[in-house]
Amino acid sequence: MFFNGFVLVIIDLRNIAEEPRYFSFTLETDWWQSQGGKDQILGFETPVKADIEIYRVGDKHLLKGAIGGRLRARCDRCIEPFGLDFRSRFETFFASPVNNADRDETELAEEDMEVDFVKGEEIDLGDMLREQIYLSIPVKLICHSDCRGICPKCGVNLNTGQCRCQQELGHPGFAKLKNLKIQGE
Ligand SMILES: [Zn+2]
Ligand SMILES: [Zn+2]
């Protein structure tokens, strides 16, 4: 297992036996590569810590992990970036496809939910950690519970600015009053 700038975090399962092994590492802020477009996570605000314990159980490997840090996320309402703390614990079984060649398909389907199959003998923790980070954040990301979002008409951020759209639209009731007044004059 080795890690550096753009971490290739690889665990070779052939080196892991029943005796648990522990790995602790830090993902630097430049580790996260935003997918752009609709990606809710823009990056890390602080380095992210990950602790991994892994050992063999029968013909599988059990990985227990904890990851936490502070993300730079994008608000779903106002689309502005904001800091978001996250913390996640997870457990995953890893099975080598080779070990499962002699099992029937029903058995495999039942286990699909909890077992990740690895290609060859190595696990790329990078993919797994990325997935865990996405799973640990809320589906809808809001910078503040009272975020006012952006005006659907002109796109102004209503937390920091005002637009004239609502005023122009006015309230139907007020419009009627205004008309009455004009007629009365
Ligand atoms: Zn917001
Ligand atoms: Zn507007």
Side-chain angles (χ1 to χ4, degrees):
M1 177 163 174
F2 29 148
F3 25 90
N4 50 36
F6 287 99
V7 184
L8 209 56
V9 194
I10 303 286
I11 291 181
D12 188 333
L13 293 177
R14 285 168 297 192
N15 298 333
I16 310 291
E18 284 86 354
E19 180 83 2
R21 290 194 53 191
Y22 300 90
F23 302 93
S24 192
F25 53 95
T26 302
L27 303 173
E28 296 300 333
T29 49
D30 60 359
W31 184 82
W32 186 271
Q33 300 291 297
S34 177
Q35 305 298 303
K38 279 188 256 174
D39 197 349
Q40 291 175 296
I41 302 175
L42 305 172
F44 294 161
E45 284 204 343
T46 58
V48 165
K49 299 251 184 236
D51 293 301
I52 301 292
E53 175 185 1
I54 184 165
Y55 53 92
R56 199 167 68 205
V57 183
D59 61 354
K60 298 188 191 69
H61 284 87
L62 176 58
L63 181 149
K64 297 178 180 179
I67 188 169
R70 190 168 172 83
L71 299 172
R72 192 143 187 80
R74 188 172 49 208
C75 176
D76 283 323
R77 272 190 209 158
C78 69
I79 67 174
E80 289 296 320
F82 69 103
L84 177 71
D85 289 322
F86 78 99
R87 192 149 297 281
S88 169
R89 288 187 170 276
F90 49 94
E91 289 191 8
T92 314
F93 276 106
F94 287 97
S96 212
V98 192
N99 296 337
N100 290 280
D102 54 346
R103 299 200 188 170
D104 65 41
E105 284 181 18
T106 6
E107 202 175 345
L108 280 181
E110 276 171 18
E111 291 186 355
D112 269 353
M113 300 302 290
E114 55 192 27
V115 178
D116 269 11
F117 291 97
V118 283
K119 302 181 201 88
E121 302 288 346
E122 292 179 334
I123 324 173
D124 182 348
L125 284 185
D127 287 346
M128 198 192 66
L129 294 176
R130 206 167 279 116
E131 195 186 323
Q132 288 302 327
I133 291 170
Y134 278 119
L135 289 173
S136 72
I137 61 171
V139 177
K140 203 150 178 69
L141 295 178
I142 307 295
C143 63
H144 299 104
S145 55
D146 57 352
C147 170
R148 302 174 67 196
I150 57 173
C151 170
K153 210 171 160 190
C154 71
V156 156
N157 182 343
L158 298 171
N159 298 309
T160 54
Q162 281 184 339
C163 67
R164 304 189 66 84
C165 302
Q166 289 303 315
Q167 286 159 270
E168 281 168 17
L169 226 75
H171 188 279
F174 286 124
K176 239 181 244 171
L177 282 176
K178 210 156 74 181
N179 288 342
L180 282 176
K181 208 174 171 191
I182 290 164
Q183 280 165 9
E185 276 170 355

